Amino acid sequence: QVPLVESGGGLVQPGGSLRLSCAASGLTFRRRAMAWFRQAPGKEREFVASMWWSTGGTRHADSVKGRFTMSRNNAKDTVYLQMDNLKPEDTGVYYCAADDTIILSSIGDARQYDYWGQGTQVTVSS
């Protein structure tokens, strides 16, 4: 079973909104954190948002603060990334990640995550 499955990507005009979902029912361990990362063509994967699982506390990258919000639905075992006021520079493949041993100070480091989804494409263009 695939541990993480993203959905919700697509093509949207600048200023528009999308909500990404990451179904985590395939995870078989007690997670410490989940996060969203994105990767634009020719660029490294970058941190977007994270959630420390035990507290539900979230962090968002400065580039998306005030526009993106990470949340979760425990009953559905799903995390979301609500993206508003999208800009062309938000274009990329968005990945959901989870880990069971990560420490809080490394929550924004993609190298610390062992479990990844397949990614969903987000394109912001007029």
Side-chain angles (χ1 to χ4, degrees):
Q1 187 176 4
V2 178
L4 300 169
V5 180
E6 301 102 332
S7 61
L11 173 64
V12 64
Q13 292 186 341
S17 297
L18 283 174
R19 189 178 78 158
L20 305 184
S21 300
C22 174
S25 57
L27 295 180
T28 58
F29 55 85
R30 184 182 295 272
R31 73 208 73 165
R32 282 193 175 182
M34 292 190 69
W36 288 96
F37 292 85
R38 66 187 181 189
Q39 189 165 19
K43 294 189 176 181
E44 292 188 356
R45 195 166 296 190
E46 67 169 348
F47 169 74
V48 176
S50 64
M51 180 178 289
W52 191 250
W53 206 250
S54 61
T55 63
T58 58
R59 295 183 183 179
H60 297 77
D62 288 343
S63 59
V64 306
K65 213 169 278 184
R67 301 187 298 121
F68 291 11
T69 304
M70 183 175 182
S71 63
R72 72 186 185 193
N73 182 318
N74 290 335
K76 295 183 178 181
D77 204 359
T78 299
V79 295
Y80 303 97
L81 185 68
Q82 177 66 41
M83 306 187 294
D84 298 318
N85 191 20
L86 282 158
K87 303 176 181 180
E89 52 263 43
D90 294 319
T91 294
V93 179
Y94 283 68
Y95 297 91
C96 176
D99 201 80
D100 56 343
T101 61
I102 196 168
I103 60 175
L104 185 56
S105 60
S106 298
I107 201 170
D109 185 350
R111 298 169 298 177
Q112 304 303 318
Y113 288 84
D114 287 336
Y115 301 90
W116 292 85
Q118 80 287 355
T120 186
Q121 177 70 43
V122 171
T123 303
V124 185
S125 175
S126 55

